[in-house]
Amino acid sequence: MKNLAQSSYSSALETVRNLKQKYGNTWNAVTSESAARMITQNRFKTGLDIAKYTATIMREDMVAYDADNSQYTQSLGCWHGFVAQQKMISVKKHHKTTSKRYLYLSGWMVAALRSELGPLPDQSMHEKTAVPALIKEIYDFLKQADAVELNDLFRRLDQGEDVQDQIDNFETHVVPIIADIDAGFGNEEATYLLTKKMIEAGACAIQIENQVSDAKQCGHQDGKVTVPHEDFIAKLNAIRYAFLELGVEDGIIVARTDSEGAGLTQKLPVSQEPGDLASQYLAFVEAEEITIDEAREDDVLLKREGKLVRPVRLPNGLYKFKDGTNIDRVVLDCITSLQNGADLLWIETPTPHVGQIAHMVNRVKEVVPNAKLVYNNSPSFNWTLNFRNQVYDAMLAAGEDVSAYDRNNLMDVKYDGSELCKRADEKIRTFQVDGAREAGIFHHLITLPTYHTTALHMNDLTEGYFGEEGMLAYVKGVQRQEIRKGVSCVKHQRMAGSDLGDDHKTFFSGDNALKAGGAKNTSNQFGGVEKKVTQEAVAV
């Protein structure tokens, strides 16, 4: 994923030289090499540039997956720009390329961590402006990662190292982001307006769910209320219009269905002819057969197969779906979304079971053969227990002896080294590969990983720091690990842009620049960490 050709150092250098010649002596203080270096360090000038660039990447990745389902993509949810930045720096360092690694923006984490109203549940109660603001923040941090790493390379070039090829073939930290717009934060016009802000901030892929906007629930909680297909299609259209208006022709829409766990609808759509979408939706609604004499005042009645029926309506006015219709509703949702402008699907499931996911996706593929799924590898699942149960069931079905295991207590640590648990862990390890191969999963993501890692790391650090270990808890558990593993932010001043700023000030002020990176800068105690990080990130 190299950057746009017109943003290369050589082309930028030629442009600045031509401008200097055009404007004459008044530009003498501008050094062509320094200006070209700064242009190269900021190759994406606007969020729209990012959205167009990353949309192309996603489209190419979707084609690659269609040809070879081992070519799936992945992401981790990030709730702050710094978290996203460190993730992508680490991806480059450990895996040598950002190819097929994306970012995910979770509405759950926006609500829980980014709302001015304080921590909130995932019910669309947070400010809608917080979503595009976080997208912009993430890309600001990723662009800074580009600038910092390139600045290190240019410094090494100035010192005589042969790193020109690394500069010319630099791989950006800017990658696609799949951004959660929840249920659209209002009607279709509200969805359109928010989508524009998200695209302008850099989002190339918008994920939207088929829940009622003003009664939205987390996908892994009860009380979900879905909308008729016509309402959802209107919002898919709103998103596509926003992409087209802003010139992001390859923009991606991820249509999420919560119907697997949703048992309620707020609205009964109007059927225009037998068998239309409204009619199919109404067929799922639970109803009781009555006579006209049994109808109560102000009842809502339907005619179904020549009979008069009364939909089951709860005291709050919501209507109930028939039990056992959830999978059929999921399949119809998916087919309908793909036939009306969606590019990818998202099915919220109660457990991470490849066979169950494949069952639904394969039914969709009977109608839309290239259907592809974005799947939530959710922390809301107890992965350990789920897979131990799956393996237990498989062993039992195969006639293997399971008498050593208490089915009701498989989380017990005493089983951790057992054959059952080894098999379960192996199924967890291969879940993404298996899901991509068997269940049409193009993109695997974890929605809330950094929410949990932050809590876990703070738990571990505070246990020692406020206990007998004292400062050793930080040094041994954090700083020493950063140094030995070459974590980029161990020199936090550099990561925040101090070295970059010193060089810029030199461009602007020459020898008069007041710089922070002198002999008394304590960051010097960490040596050439930036060189190690840069070298490890070079593509092979």
Side-chain angles (χ1 to χ4, degrees):
M1 285 193 291
K2 297 174 186 177
N3 274 319
L4 307 175
Q6 63 264 32
S7 297
S8 69
Y9 175 75
S10 58
S11 63
L13 183 61
E14 181 181 359
T15 298
V16 177
R17 283 174 174 167
N18 290 338
L19 286 169
K20 285 191 66 176
Q21 186 174 16
K22 175 181 177 180
Y23 290 105
N25 294 336
T26 60
W27 282 39
N28 282 348
V30 174
T31 304
S32 299
E33 290 76 11
S34 299
R37 174 171 159 179
M38 293 181 72
I39 292 169
T40 305
Q41 289 169 184
N42 182 22
R43 299 184 179 189
F44 299 98
K45 312 310 180 191
T46 69
L48 283 178
D49 291 338
I50 293 171
K52 292 174 183 178
Y53 169 73
T54 54
T56 300
I57 290 170
M58 275 196 74
R59 291 288 179 180
E60 291 173 351
D61 287 346
M62 290 161 67
V63 171
Y65 176 81
D66 285 339
D68 177 3
N69 58 30
S70 70
Q71 299 300 304
Y72 62 91
T73 57
Q74 300 167 289
S75 66
L76 295 171
C78 299
W79 55 272
H80 193 279
F82 178 72
V83 175
Q85 179 196 69
Q86 292 304 303
K87 170 194 160 183
M88 295 317 304
I89 288 173
S90 297
V91 163
K92 286 188 69 174
K93 182 178 73 170
H94 293 298
H95 304 286
K96 312 307 179 190
T97 178
T98 62
S99 177
K100 295 181 173 56
R101 279 86 174 191
Y102 302 169
L103 291 161
Y104 179 67
L105 184 149
S106 161
W108 193 102
M109 283 210 283
V110 174
L113 298 170
R114 299 301 299 253
S115 173
E116 292 183 8
L117 301 174
L120 297 170
D122 184 21
Q123 296 173 3
S124 289
M125 295 191 290
H126 56 279
E127 309 87 345
K128 63 176 70 177
T129 53
V131 183
L134 179 53
I135 297 169
K136 181 181 183 302
E137 176 183 291
I138 285 172
Y139 281 124
D140 283 345
F141 272 82
L142 295 183
K143 290 195 296 181
Q144 187 204 40
D146 281 0
V148 168
E149 186 178 331
L150 279 163
N151 192 64
D152 292 340
L153 287 168
F154 278 115
R155 282 186 167 193
R156 290 168 59 192
L157 186 69
D158 291 343
Q159 293 166 4
E161 290 190 54
D162 184 13
V163 293
Q164 188 63 55
D165 184 66
Q166 294 180 43
I167 293 170
D168 293 340
N169 294 287
F170 180 79
E171 185 180 48
T172 179
H173 297 84
V174 170
V175 296
I177 188 167
I178 298 175
D180 185 1
I181 199 172
D182 284 348
F185 285 88
N187 61 25
E188 55 268 40
E189 174 69 3
T191 300
Y192 154 76
L193 293 171
L194 179 55
T195 298
K196 284 212 304 180
K197 292 297 182 185
M198 293 168 70
I199 297 168
E200 288 168 344
C204 72
I206 304 296
Q207 170 222 325
I208 185 166
E209 60 206 58
N210 69 334
Q211 291 191 49
V212 173
S213 185
D214 60 355
K216 191 262 179 197
Q217 293 278 19
C218 172
H220 292 282
Q221 293 183 314
D222 205 354
K224 294 186 290 295
V225 183
T226 61
V227 298
H229 297 100
E230 293 86 350
D231 292 18
F232 191 58
I233 291 169
K235 292 190 176 183
L236 298 181
N237 290 338
I239 295 170
R240 182 62 66 202
Y241 274 104
F243 273 126
L244 293 174
E245 178 183 337
L246 295 174
V248 185
E249 298 173 4
D250 289 333
I252 289 114
I253 300 174
V254 182
R256 169 175 145 179
T257 172
D258 283 89
S259 290
E260 198 285 335
L264 302 169
T265 183
Q266 193 177 55
K267 243 168 108 166
L268 298 179
V270 178
S271 175
Q272 302 296 331
E273 57 184 56
D276 62 11
L277 273 177
S279 176
Q280 294 177 68
Y281 191 82
L282 289 169
F284 293 125
V285 175
E286 185 173 324
E288 55 185 349
E289 184 180 344
I290 64 169
T291 66
I292 191 64
D293 293 334
E294 293 173 313
R296 297 187 294 265
E297 197 74 18
D298 298 323
D299 259 349
V300 173
L301 305 177
L302 296 174
K303 182 180 178 182
R304 184 177 287 174
E305 297 179 350
K307 299 174 182 178
L308 192 65
V309 298
R310 178 169 53 206
V312 174
R313 185 162 52 167
L314 304 182
N316 57 14
L318 299 174
Y319 295 92
K320 186 177 182 297
F321 287 117
K322 288 186 284 190
D323 292 338
T325 62
N326 54 336
I327 302 303
D328 289 338
R329 285 185 279 124
V330 165
V331 173
L332 181 60
D333 292 344
C334 291
I335 292 170
T336 301
S337 292
L338 291 175
Q339 291 177 336
N340 288 275
D343 302 290
L344 296 168
L345 301 171
W346 174 314
I347 301 173
E348 281 288 57
T349 67
T351 59
H353 192 294
V354 170
Q356 293 172 359
I357 302 164
H359 171 69
M360 293 182 282
V361 174
N362 287 337
R363 286 183 59 187
V364 176
K365 284 186 172 185
E366 291 174 5
V367 180
V368 186
N370 69 339
K372 290 179 283 296
L373 199 63
V374 172
Y375 188 72
N376 177 7
N377 293 221
S378 176
S380 293
F381 302 140
N382 184 332
W383 286 78
T384 302
L385 185 58
N386 268 292
F387 279 85
R388 288 182 181 184
N389 280 328
Q390 289 178 37
V391 171
Y392 184 95
D393 290 339
M395 292 174 69
L396 193 64
E400 296 184 53
D401 182 10
V402 292
S403 61
Y405 306 103
D406 178 0
R407 176 61 184 269
N408 297 316
N409 196 29
L410 290 179
M411 278 293 295
D412 197 312
V413 68
K414 70 182 181 183
Y415 296 134
D416 282 0
S418 68
E419 176 62 22
L420 181 149
C421 297
K422 288 179 183 176
R423 293 189 199 178
D425 282 354
E426 178 63 11
K427 285 176 70 69
I428 294 171
R429 187 187 72 81
T430 64
F431 176 79
Q432 296 190 346
V433 173
D434 296 340
R437 182 184 63 250
E438 299 172 24
I441 301 177
F442 159 74
H443 185 77
H444 282 278
L445 61 89
I446 306 178
T447 45
L448 318 176
T450 52
Y451 180 89
H452 291 279
T453 54
T454 301
L456 176 63
H457 293 161
M458 288 310 299
N459 174 80
D460 295 347
L461 176 59
T462 55
E463 180 182 18
Y465 179 75
F466 293 105
E468 293 184 3
E469 282 190 291
M471 191 59 195
L472 181 60
Y474 174 78
V475 172
K476 184 172 68 173
V478 180
Q479 190 179 78
R480 195 176 293 166
Q481 298 300 316
E482 289 179 307
I483 295 169
R484 290 177 176 172
K485 294 179 180 179
V487 175
S488 61
C489 69
V490 66
K491 293 184 74 170
H492 48 260
Q493 309 285 16
R494 164 190 168 271
M495 197 68 255
S498 183
D499 291 357
L500 182 66
D502 274 0
D503 286 0
H504 289 173
K505 285 184 282 187
T506 302
F507 300 162
F508 308 150
S509 304
D511 293 339
N512 294 329
L514 183 63
K515 297 188 285 187
K520 294 185 178 181
N521 188 321
T522 58
S523 290
N524 296 333
Q525 297 171 27
F526 296 98
V529 173
E530 66 274 12
K531 182 175 179 180
K532 179 181 179 183
V533 171
T534 302
Q535 288 174 327
E536 289 183 347
V538 175
V540 293

PDB file of all heavy atoms in Angstrom, residues 359-378:
ATOM      1  N   HIS A 359     -24.120 -21.513   8.196  1.00  0.00           N
ATOM      2  CA  HIS A 359     -25.487 -21.900   7.853  1.00  0.00           C
ATOM      3  C   HIS A 359     -26.274 -20.705   7.316  1.00  0.00           C
ATOM      4  O   HIS A 359     -26.984 -20.810   6.303  1.00  0.00           O
ATOM      5  CB  HIS A 359     -26.193 -22.481   9.081  1.00  0.00           C
ATOM      6  CG  HIS A 359     -27.658 -22.717   8.887  1.00  0.00           C
ATOM      7  ND1 HIS A 359     -28.157 -23.702   8.052  1.00  0.00           N
ATOM      8  CD2 HIS A 359     -28.749 -22.071   9.400  1.00  0.00           C
ATOM      9  CE1 HIS A 359     -29.467 -23.661   8.063  1.00  0.00           C
ATOM     10  NE2 HIS A 359     -29.862 -22.691   8.867  1.00  0.00           N
ATOM     11  N   MET A 360     -26.127 -19.545   7.974  1.00  0.00           N
ATOM     12  CA  MET A 360     -26.849 -18.351   7.530  1.00  0.00           C
ATOM     13  C   MET A 360     -26.248 -17.781   6.243  1.00  0.00           C
ATOM     14  O   MET A 360     -26.973 -17.448   5.298  1.00  0.00           O
ATOM     15  CB  MET A 360     -26.841 -17.302   8.646  1.00  0.00           C
ATOM     16  CG  MET A 360     -27.646 -17.708   9.866  1.00  0.00           C
ATOM     17  SD  MET A 360     -27.696 -16.447  11.175  1.00  0.00           S
ATOM     18  CE  MET A 360     -26.080 -16.676  11.927  1.00  0.00           C
ATOM     19  N   VAL A 361     -24.926 -17.659   6.219  1.00  0.00           N
ATOM     20  CA  VAL A 361     -24.265 -17.046   5.070  1.00  0.00           C
ATOM     21  C   VAL A 361     -24.474 -17.881   3.810  1.00  0.00           C
ATOM     22  O   VAL A 361     -24.692 -17.337   2.714  1.00  0.00           O
ATOM     23  CB  VAL A 361     -22.766 -16.839   5.355  1.00  0.00           C
ATOM     24  CG1 VAL A 361     -22.038 -16.346   4.101  1.00  0.00           C
ATOM     25  CG2 VAL A 361     -22.574 -15.835   6.487  1.00  0.00           C
ATOM     26  N   ASN A 362     -24.435 -19.198   3.938  1.00  0.00           N
ATOM     27  CA  ASN A 362     -24.621 -20.042   2.755  1.00  0.00           C
ATOM     28  C   ASN A 362     -26.025 -19.913   2.185  1.00  0.00           C
ATOM     29  O   ASN A 362     -26.222 -20.013   0.964  1.00  0.00           O
ATOM     30  CB  ASN A 362     -24.312 -21.497   3.101  1.00  0.00           C
ATOM     31  CG  ASN A 362     -22.822 -21.742   3.284  1.00  0.00           C
ATOM     32  OD1 ASN A 362     -21.995 -20.991   2.769  1.00  0.00           O
ATOM     33  ND2 ASN A 362     -22.472 -22.775   4.032  1.00  0.00           N
ATOM     34  N   ARG A 363     -27.019 -19.680   3.036  1.00  0.00           N
ATOM     35  CA  ARG A 363     -28.372 -19.433   2.531  1.00  0.00           C
ATOM     36  C   ARG A 363     -28.419 -18.115   1.751  1.00  0.00           C
ATOM     37  O   ARG A 363     -29.108 -18.016   0.726  1.00  0.00           O
ATOM     38  CB  ARG A 363     -29.366 -19.402   3.690  1.00  0.00           C
ATOM     39  CG  ARG A 363     -29.665 -20.770   4.282  1.00  0.00           C
ATOM     40  CD  ARG A 363     -30.718 -20.673   5.381  1.00  0.00           C
ATOM     41  NE  ARG A 363     -31.973 -20.113   4.910  1.00  0.00           N
ATOM     42  CZ  ARG A 363     -32.994 -19.810   5.708  1.00  0.00           C
ATOM     43  NH1 ARG A 363     -32.908 -20.034   7.012  1.00  0.00           N
ATOM     44  NH2 ARG A 363     -34.112 -19.299   5.212  1.00  0.00           N
ATOM     45  N   VAL A 364     -27.679 -17.131   2.219  1.00  0.00           N
ATOM     46  CA  VAL A 364     -27.611 -15.855   1.501  1.00  0.00           C
ATOM     47  C   VAL A 364     -26.910 -16.052   0.155  1.00  0.00           C
ATOM     48  O   VAL A 364     -27.345 -15.524  -0.877  1.00  0.00           O
ATOM     49  CB  VAL A 364     -26.877 -14.789   2.340  1.00  0.00           C
ATOM     50  CG1 VAL A 364     -26.723 -13.491   1.550  1.00  0.00           C
ATOM     51  CG2 VAL A 364     -27.610 -14.533   3.653  1.00  0.00           C
ATOM     52  N   LYS A 365     -25.852 -16.852   0.160  1.00  0.00           N
ATOM     53  CA  LYS A 365     -25.072 -17.071  -1.058  1.00  0.00           C
ATOM     54  C   LYS A 365     -25.862 -17.802  -2.137  1.00  0.00           C
ATOM     55  O   LYS A 365     -25.513 -17.729  -3.321  1.00  0.00           O
ATOM     56  CB  LYS A 365     -23.793 -17.851  -0.730  1.00  0.00           C
ATOM     57  CG  LYS A 365     -22.717 -17.017  -0.060  1.00  0.00           C
ATOM     58  CD  LYS A 365     -21.440 -17.815   0.087  1.00  0.00           C
ATOM     59  CE  LYS A 365     -20.297 -16.932   0.572  1.00  0.00           C
ATOM     60  NZ  LYS A 365     -19.016 -17.665   0.599  1.00  0.00           N
ATOM     61  N   GLU A 366     -26.891 -18.509  -1.747  1.00  0.00           N
ATOM     62  CA  GLU A 366     -27.749 -19.148  -2.758  1.00  0.00           C
ATOM     63  C   GLU A 366     -28.395 -18.106  -3.664  1.00  0.00           C
ATOM     64  O   GLU A 366     -28.710 -18.388  -4.825  1.00  0.00           O
ATOM     65  CB  GLU A 366     -28.827 -19.982  -2.066  1.00  0.00           C
ATOM     66  CG  GLU A 366     -28.290 -21.223  -1.352  1.00  0.00           C
ATOM     67  CD  GLU A 366     -29.377 -21.936  -0.564  1.00  0.00           C
ATOM     68  OE1 GLU A 366     -30.552 -21.511  -0.651  1.00  0.00           O
ATOM     69  OE2 GLU A 366     -29.047 -22.914   0.138  1.00  0.00           O
ATOM     70  N   VAL A 367     -28.563 -16.896  -3.149  1.00  0.00           N
ATOM     71  CA  VAL A 367     -29.176 -15.808  -3.924  1.00  0.00           C
ATOM     72  C   VAL A 367     -28.118 -14.816  -4.402  1.00  0.00           C
ATOM     73  O   VAL A 367     -28.163 -14.344  -5.539  1.00  0.00           O
ATOM     74  CB  VAL A 367     -30.249 -15.079  -3.083  1.00  0.00           C
ATOM     75  CG1 VAL A 367     -30.896 -13.944  -3.881  1.00  0.00           C
ATOM     76  CG2 VAL A 367     -31.303 -16.066  -2.594  1.00  0.00           C
ATOM     77  N   VAL A 368     -27.154 -14.498  -3.529  1.00  0.00           N
ATOM     78  CA  VAL A 368     -26.081 -13.557  -3.865  1.00  0.00           C
ATOM     79  C   VAL A 368     -24.748 -14.304  -3.658  1.00  0.00           C
ATOM     80  O   VAL A 368     -24.202 -14.324  -2.553  1.00  0.00           O
ATOM     81  CB  VAL A 368     -26.133 -12.290  -2.978  1.00  0.00           C
ATOM     82  CG1 VAL A 368     -25.095 -11.273  -3.452  1.00  0.00           C
ATOM     83  CG2 VAL A 368     -27.529 -11.685  -2.988  1.00  0.00           C
ATOM     84  N   PRO A 369     -24.206 -14.924  -4.694  1.00  0.00           N
ATOM     85  CA  PRO A 369     -23.058 -15.826  -4.537  1.00  0.00           C
ATOM     86  C   PRO A 369     -21.810 -15.198  -3.930  1.00  0.00           C
ATOM     87  O   PRO A 369     -21.023 -15.894  -3.268  1.00  0.00           O
ATOM     88  CB  PRO A 369     -22.788 -16.302  -5.980  1.00  0.00           C
ATOM     89  CG  PRO A 369     -24.110 -16.160  -6.658  1.00  0.00           C
ATOM     90  CD  PRO A 369     -24.739 -14.947  -6.068  1.00  0.00           C
ATOM     91  N   ASN A 370     -21.585 -13.907  -4.151  1.00  0.00           N
ATOM     92  CA  ASN A 370     -20.367 -13.289  -3.634  1.00  0.00           C
ATOM     93  C   ASN A 370     -20.601 -12.550  -2.310  1.00  0.00           C
ATOM     94  O   ASN A 370     -19.840 -11.654  -1.940  1.00  0.00           O
ATOM     95  CB  ASN A 370     -19.760 -12.337  -4.666  1.00  0.00           C
ATOM     96  CG  ASN A 370     -20.617 -11.094  -4.892  1.00  0.00           C
ATOM     97  OD1 ASN A 370     -21.820 -11.106  -4.601  1.00  0.00           O
ATOM     98  ND2 ASN A 370     -20.013 -10.035  -5.413  1.00  0.00           N
ATOM     99  N   ALA A 371     -21.639 -12.945  -1.597  1.00  0.00           N
ATOM    100  CA  ALA A 371     -21.910 -12.313  -0.299  1.00  0.00           C
ATOM    101  C   ALA A 371     -20.716 -12.508   0.632  1.00  0.00           C
ATOM    102  O   ALA A 371     -20.156 -13.608   0.721  1.00  0.00           O
ATOM    103  CB  ALA A 371     -23.167 -12.916   0.323  1.00  0.00           C
ATOM    104  N   LYS A 372     -20.370 -11.438   1.315  1.00  0.00           N
ATOM    105  CA  LYS A 372     -19.218 -11.455   2.229  1.00  0.00           C
ATOM    106  C   LYS A 372     -19.611 -10.823   3.554  1.00  0.00           C
ATOM    107  O   LYS A 372     -20.425  -9.910   3.603  1.00  0.00           O
ATOM    108  CB  LYS A 372     -18.033 -10.694   1.623  1.00  0.00           C
ATOM    109  CG  LYS A 372     -17.390 -11.391   0.443  1.00  0.00           C
ATOM    110  CD  LYS A 372     -16.241 -10.585  -0.136  1.00  0.00           C
ATOM    111  CE  LYS A 372     -16.717  -9.420  -0.975  1.00  0.00           C
ATOM    112  NZ  LYS A 372     -17.451  -9.827  -2.166  1.00  0.00           N
ATOM    113  N   LEU A 373     -18.947 -11.290   4.598  1.00  0.00           N
ATOM    114  CA  LEU A 373     -19.336 -10.914   5.948  1.00  0.00           C
ATOM    115  C   LEU A 373     -18.219 -10.164   6.661  1.00  0.00           C
ATOM    116  O   LEU A 373     -17.040 -10.493   6.529  1.00  0.00           O
ATOM    117  CB  LEU A 373     -19.673 -12.185   6.736  1.00  0.00           C
ATOM    118  CG  LEU A 373     -20.507 -12.065   8.000  1.00  0.00           C
ATOM    119  CD1 LEU A 373     -21.900 -11.528   7.686  1.00  0.00           C
ATOM    120  CD2 LEU A 373     -20.625 -13.439   8.666  1.00  0.00           C
ATOM    121  N   VAL A 374     -18.611  -9.146   7.421  1.00  0.00           N
ATOM    122  CA  VAL A 374     -17.764  -8.558   8.449  1.00  0.00           C
ATOM    123  C   VAL A 374     -18.237  -9.181   9.760  1.00  0.00           C
ATOM    124  O   VAL A 374     -19.420  -9.117  10.083  1.00  0.00           O
ATOM    125  CB  VAL A 374     -17.934  -7.017   8.503  1.00  0.00           C
ATOM    126  CG1 VAL A 374     -17.209  -6.434   9.699  1.00  0.00           C
ATOM    127  CG2 VAL A 374     -17.443  -6.385   7.205  1.00  0.00           C
ATOM    128  N   TYR A 375     -17.323  -9.801  10.504  1.00  0.00           N
ATOM    129  CA  TYR A 375     -17.756 -10.518  11.705  1.00  0.00           C
ATOM    130  C   TYR A 375     -17.096  -9.952  12.968  1.00  0.00           C
ATOM    131  O   TYR A 375     -15.893  -9.724  13.017  1.00  0.00           O
ATOM    132  CB  TYR A 375     -17.454 -12.007  11.605  1.00  0.00           C
ATOM    133  CG  TYR A 375     -18.074 -12.779  12.750  1.00  0.00           C
ATOM    134  CD1 TYR A 375     -19.453 -12.970  12.813  1.00  0.00           C
ATOM    135  CD2 TYR A 375     -17.294 -13.257  13.797  1.00  0.00           C
ATOM    136  CE1 TYR A 375     -20.038 -13.640  13.879  1.00  0.00           C
ATOM    137  CE2 TYR A 375     -17.879 -13.931  14.865  1.00  0.00           C
ATOM    138  CZ  TYR A 375     -19.247 -14.111  14.906  1.00  0.00           C
ATOM    139  OH  TYR A 375     -19.827 -14.753  15.969  1.00  0.00           O
ATOM    140  N   ASN A 376     -17.944  -9.789  13.962  1.00  0.00           N
ATOM    141  CA  ASN A 376     -17.532  -9.242  15.253  1.00  0.00           C
ATOM    142  C   ASN A 376     -17.026 -10.360  16.157  1.00  0.00           C
ATOM    143  O   ASN A 376     -17.814 -11.125  16.707  1.00  0.00           O
ATOM    144  CB  ASN A 376     -18.725  -8.519  15.888  1.00  0.00           C
ATOM    145  CG  ASN A 376     -18.413  -7.971  17.269  1.00  0.00           C
ATOM    146  OD1 ASN A 376     -17.287  -8.002  17.728  1.00  0.00           O
ATOM    147  ND2 ASN A 376     -19.433  -7.463  17.937  1.00  0.00           N
ATOM    148  N   ASN A 377     -15.696 -10.455  16.298  1.00  0.00           N
ATOM    149  CA  ASN A 377     -15.089 -11.402  17.245  1.00  0.00           C
ATOM    150  C   ASN A 377     -15.205 -10.778  18.637  1.00  0.00           C
ATOM    151  O   ASN A 377     -14.214 -10.325  19.217  1.00  0.00           O
ATOM    152  CB  ASN A 377     -13.623 -11.641  16.900  1.00  0.00           C
ATOM    153  CG  ASN A 377     -13.425 -12.378  15.577  1.00  0.00           C
ATOM    154  OD1 ASN A 377     -12.581 -13.244  15.472  1.00  0.00           O
ATOM    155  ND2 ASN A 377     -14.188 -12.028  14.553  1.00  0.00           N
ATOM    156  N   SER A 378     -16.387 -10.758  19.155  1.00  0.00           N
ATOM    157  CA  SER A 378     -16.737  -9.869  20.261  1.00  0.00           C
ATOM    158  C   SER A 378     -16.205 -10.316  21.622  1.00  0.00           C
ATOM    159  O   SER A 378     -16.278 -11.504  21.956  1.00  0.00           O
ATOM    160  CB  SER A 378     -18.258  -9.743  20.354  1.00  0.00           C
ATOM    161  OG  SER A 378     -18.625  -8.964  21.464  1.00  0.00           O
TER     162      SER A 378
END
